Amino acid sequence: MELERLAVRLSEFARVRDWERFHTPKNLAMALSGEVGELVAELQWLTPDESRDLDPATLARVRAELGDVTAYLVRLADVLGVDLVAEANTRLDVNDRRYDPERYRGSMRKAPPLDP
C-alpha cells in the first residue's frame, strides 16, 4: 500500500510539471542507474566494517540516495505497470528454490538456473 501511494505521488509530481513525456522507461532506467552510482560512491572506499557503522553525515547522504533510488524504481515500475512487491516475491520464490539452505548455507556460490 505504501508503494502504491508513493507511485501516485510521484506520478502527480511528474504530471503537474509536465514531465511525463520525459519519464520513459529508458530515461527512468538511466536515471535509476545514475542514482545507484551515487549510492555506490558513498560506500565505495569504506571497509566492510565502516560500511556497517556509518557516521551521521555519511548515513544522511546514503539515506538521501536510497530515497532517490526508491523514487526512480517505483516510478519506472509504475510507468511499466509492474507490481514491484509481487515481482520481488516472485524472485524470492525462484531463489528459494534455487538456493537450497542446506547446500548453500554460508556460500557465495552462484546456483545454476532452474530447469523450466
Side-chain angles (χ1 to χ4, degrees), residues 87-99 112-114:
E87 291 306 321
N89 278 302
T90 296
R91 293 305 301 160
L92 185 55
D93 291 343
V94 168
N95 286 329
D96 191 42
R97 291 191 309 275
R98 283 183 69 201
Y99 292 95
L114 288 175

Side-chain angles (χ1 to χ4, degrees), residues 49-60:
D49 287 339
E50 289 170 336
S51 73
R52 288 184 193 96
D53 187 25
L54 300 175
D55 64 78
T58 303
L59 180 57

Side-chain angles (χ1 to χ4, degrees), residues 16-45:
V16 300
R17 288 162 180 81
D18 193 26
W19 289 354
E20 291 168 313
R21 60 189 158 149
F22 306 120
H23 285 197
T24 65
K26 177 197 75 73
N27 287 353
L28 291 166
M30 291 174 68
L32 174 60
S33 177
E35 293 300 336
V36 169
E38 291 178 22
L39 174 60
V40 169
E42 291 296 335
L43 303 169
Q44 183 173 6
W45 301 113

